[in-house]
C-alpha cells in the first residue's frame, strides 16, 4: 500500500525551528525525487524543496532558501525538512510527495508560527 505520513509540525515562535518527517511506504523510495510542499491559509499549494532520488541534489523555493534544509534516509524511507528562522509567513500545512508521478496526498502536518 502506497502511503505518505507526515509528522513533526506544531506551534513555534518566530525565529524558532522545527524538523518535519515524512515516512514513505509502498514504492521504491530511493528511485524518486521527493519534495515538500505547503499550503498556507487561503493560498495555493506551493513547492518548498526537492531532493533528488539518486544524487540527492537539492532545490529550494526562494522564500525558504538558506533557512530550510531537505534531506532523506533511503534505508528508513523517510524525507525530512529542517526549518530554521521560521516566520509567520511559513504558517501552513506541510505535505511531502514525489516530485513526479505524484501520489495521493497525505494528511500533512500543521505548522503555525506565532508569538
Amino acid at each position: 500500500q502506497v502511503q505518505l505520513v507526515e509528522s513533526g509540525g506544531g506551534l513555534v515562535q518566530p525565529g524558532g525551528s522545527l524538523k518535519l518527517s515524512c515516512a514513505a511506504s509502498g514504492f521504491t523510495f530511493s528511485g524518486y525525487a521527493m519534495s515538500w510542499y505547503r499550503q498556507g491559509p487561503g493560498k495555493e499549494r506551493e513547492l518548498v524543496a526537492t531532493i533528488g532520488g539518486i544524487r540527492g541534489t537539492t532545490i529550494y523555493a526562494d522564500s525558504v532558501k538558506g533557512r530550510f534544509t531537505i534531506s532523506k534516509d533511503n534505508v528508513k524511507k523517510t524525507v525530512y525538512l529542517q526549518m530554521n528562522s521560521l516566520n509567520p509567513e511559513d504558517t501552513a500545512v506541510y505535505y511531502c510527495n514525489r516530485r513526479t508521478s505524484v501520489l495521493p496526498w497525505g494528511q500533512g502536518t500543521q505548522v503555525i508560527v506565532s508569538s
Side-chain angles (χ1 to χ4, degrees), residues 39-86:
Q39 187 166 16
K43 298 181 180 179
E44 297 288 323
R45 186 175 290 157
E46 63 172 340
L47 177 64
V48 173
T50 298
I51 185 164
I54 303 300
R55 297 183 180 180
T57 303
T58 57
I59 304 172
Y60 298 93
D62 287 343
S63 58
V64 307
K65 201 172 294 183
R67 300 187 299 120
F68 290 12
T69 303
I70 187 171
S71 61
K72 63 174 183 163
D73 185 327
N74 286 334
V75 174
K76 294 183 178 180
K77 297 185 177 181
T78 301
V79 59
Y80 304 97
L81 187 68
Q82 176 67 47
M83 306 187 295
N84 299 328
S85 301
L86 286 161

Side-chain angles (χ1 to χ4, degrees), residues 1-112:
Q1 179 183 359
V2 175
Q3 194 172 19
L4 299 166
V5 180
E6 301 93 346
S7 63
L11 174 63
V12 62
Q13 292 187 340
S17 298
L18 281 175
K19 186 173 184 177
L20 307 183
S21 299
C22 170
S25 59
F27 64 97
T28 307
F29 179 80
S30 61
Y32 288 90
M34 295 296 295
S35 294
W36 281 96
Y37 302 78
R38 68 184 181 185
Q39 187 166 16
K43 298 181 180 179
E44 297 288 323
R45 186 175 290 157
E46 63 172 340
L47 177 64
V48 173
T50 298
I51 185 164
I54 303 300
R55 297 183 180 180
T57 303
T58 57
I59 304 172
Y60 298 93
D62 287 343
S63 58
V64 307
K65 201 172 294 183
R67 300 187 299 120
F68 290 12
T69 303
I70 187 171
S71 61
K72 63 174 183 163
D73 185 327
N74 286 334
V75 174
K76 294 183 178 180
K77 297 185 177 181
T78 301
V79 59
Y80 304 97
L81 187 68
Q82 176 67 47
M83 306 187 295
N84 299 328
S85 301
L86 286 161
N87 59 62
E89 290 69 40
D90 297 315
T91 294
V93 179
Y94 285 72
Y95 303 87
C96 71
N97 213 314
R98 298 192 307 206
R99 183 65 183 94
T100 57
S101 301
V102 174
L103 298 169
W105 295 94
Q107 294 296 309
T109 187
Q110 175 80 59
V111 173
I112 299 174

